[in-house]
Amino acid sequence: MMLRGLSSRLGQVRANSGAQSATRPVPALLQHRSSLASALLGGVSAPLLPGRPLLSSSSVAVRAAATEAAPTPAEETFTYQAEVDRLMDIIVNSLYSNREVFLRELVSNASDALDKARFLAVTDPSIMAGREELEIRISADKDKGTLTIEDSGVGMSREQLLSNLGTIARSGTRKFMEAMAAKGDSNLIGQFGVGFYSAFLVADRVRVQSKAPEDSKQWLWEAAAGSHQYTIREDPVSDLVRGTRITLFLKEDAAEMTDPVRITRLIKQYSQFIAFPIKVYSPKKEPRKVIDEEGTKRKQEAADKKAEEKGEPTKQVEPVMKTEYDEGWDWRLENENKPIWTRSPKDVSETAYNDFFKTTFGEFLDPLAHVHFNVEGTIEFSAIIYLPGMAPFEQQNMMQRSKSIKLYVKRVFISDEFDEDLMPRYLSFVKGVVDSSDLPLNVSREILQESRIVRVIRKQLVRRSIEMMEELAGKEGGEDFKTFWDAFGRQIKYGVVEDTENRERLSKLLRFQSSKSEDGLTSLDQYVSRMKPKQKSIYWMAADSVQSARAAPFVEAMVAKGIEVLYLTEPIDEACITNLGKYGSDKETQYELVDVSKEGISLDEEGEEEKAAAEAAAKEMAPVVDFLKKSLGERVEKVTVSNRLLDSPCALVTSKFGWSANMERIMRSQALGDARAMEYMRGRKIMEINPKHDIIAGIKTLLQEKDEDRARDLAELLYETSLITSGFQVDSPKDYASKVFTLMKIALGYDILSEAEEAQMIQAAQAAAAAPAPAAAEVVAEAPKRPVATPVDAEVVSEEDPWKKM
């Protein structure tokens, strides 16, 4: 790029002193190269004098004395060192990927100069003489293709122009900060040299006019992109009382920067919270009242007609006025919003917080809660974070990059694309601003990822966000928290999965429906307060809806005995509860979270009599258990007698360390699911039978009568039906439907044996028609015998039977 010629000022010499530069000793050059590298890394160990030849301190003193004695030439030309040319080219292209930030950098530098002027005026009020205002003015000339940024700060003398504009990673601001460090003034923004050269991202040529209060002359610095030289001379215009004016001669592809609307947008994006007024020379329309001739004429005609009808003399009516606008140009203040985070929280009203939230983030509802805090010490920053009043429409996409946290450095907007570095994904809905005093203006993602400052900021933001939600949950009535949970509850559940450090605190915010609060939501603390005296576990059932969970066979006995069961109806719920594992801060009173659809559930309140009855039932049903396992084979791992079924004949539970039926259904629906992982994680099915149910008793009777065929048919149908009631998918829906249709025909009184006989005869006839005709004797000999139907006892149908009503 053409920026190389302007990239650095470390080896500049006058054009007419080339011989002196050529005789410069090599060791001194090497020494200053290492100093430059140290400066770029933020650790300047020795002051550099860019803009001057690299000489010893004594040489500098001699040259300074000679300069004072000799008259200053009308114009001086300086040359850059080639090594630093390339270095500046890298800096501009690496640090500023978005060239719009040039305006942010120049405005920040102007703010520095104004800060200096205000500080120095405390001890020397004469600095403000002739121009009391501390402000920044920006104007553009579309015809000339120029953009001008002017401030009324301290300005620069000739030597300061040489030093400040010839420095990388060090500037007049930094030097001023070092000088004022003993006085405790550190509220200045960083590195003028780097920021200034961002101007060449949009400009072919840059002109700097500046006047310092202590200097009677105004100086002009000028350089062009691509040139290896720049000039400094006394400015013949000399119209500045104090301050600096930077004029950018824009590149052809940067012509849009002359549009006042574009400039205003950039100011509001990056610099709206700068402490000093920023004024843009913009077009405006001045209203003025003029007489509407047509309207007055119509009004007069109407009045004359009315007077004529009444026979009265006509009168002159008042003229009709209209508003016209005269277009003109004037200075307009563009940063009226004040950074409320710099004020004490007790001095900011609730209305001010709400208005700031709506204006900054484009919201139309008041936030549910907010917290304003300042962190001081080795690391300093201020922040305001909000819980929005409603969820954004795109919140379902967890992978989409959010722009909820706006990062500022010394009230200068840096970016809103660092959310992942400042907040975990599950808190992406929290909106706020963070203003750091320690981060550099040219902060990048790499700097953030490696910065200890950012880690401290992130930890504080997460802690304060959780505290804000806990406070909202503790408010009386709970309507605000209910609104919050409806909008952002899924993110909190995701946080339980992701954030192991804050998992315990987040678990107290969880809310679910349950068998005792189906219409509302309950917390885990409320569940624990309603537990049975001997209950040691928190029971939960995952399903796709509350109705499905309530109708599941696993919860029948529990609900009947008054044991509360949580109903988990969202896809994230099961993963959340599984990762939580146990609930309770005290290890002695921790409660295990138990899935009622898994094996090995033993109700804590069972007495000795119930346990004895269960053992007797298991012994009695041993033949049925063995037969069902033999009939179903590998489809079930084992068959057991259940103590948690009341109305259902059986249920299929899963092994303790596999997926539940609900999780298996969720994983099946994944577009990019791994079939191998599904086969590995799918839980083994265990059939639990209800010994008191009529169907189980009927199978036992069939086994006693040695009718294993009918018992096997019932076992098949029982298994496939229990797949549906337990939340699994039937392997062959068509075969299962055929069995159900057959049962429906039997219930309607059809003779299934006759239908089978007719189907068999039709099939035989079709086969005979296709075969060659046999001899008559063979036909007689091979005539099939007519099957004899097994007599079936007639079933007595009562008046209440639903099939009869059909």
Side-chain angles (χ1 to χ4, degrees), residues 93-132:
N93 288 283
S94 298
L95 296 184
Y96 301 100
S97 57
N98 178 10
R99 68 179 188 172
E100 288 183 348
V101 299
F102 84 92
L103 190 61
R104 179 194 77 184
E105 297 293 339
L106 296 180
V107 169
S108 299
N109 292 336
S111 174
D112 289 348
L114 294 168
D115 261 328
K116 295 178 192 177
R118 182 171 59 182
F119 181 86
L120 295 175
V122 174
T123 55
D124 186 6
S126 63
I127 289 177
M128 307 297 290
R131 188 172 184 181
E132 297 293 333

Side-chain angles (χ1 to χ4, degrees), residues 262-292:
R262 181 72 179 275
I263 296 171
T264 299
R265 183 181 66 81
L266 293 178
I267 290 173
K268 291 193 177 296
Q269 180 177 354
Y270 292 108
S271 307
Q272 65 172 324
F273 298 117
I274 290 290
F276 300 98
I278 302 175
K279 297 178 180 179
V280 178
Y281 197 59
S282 307
K284 69 172 185 176
K285 294 182 177 181
E286 290 289 345
R288 61 184 177 89
K289 296 290 185 180
V290 296
I291 298 176
D292 185 353

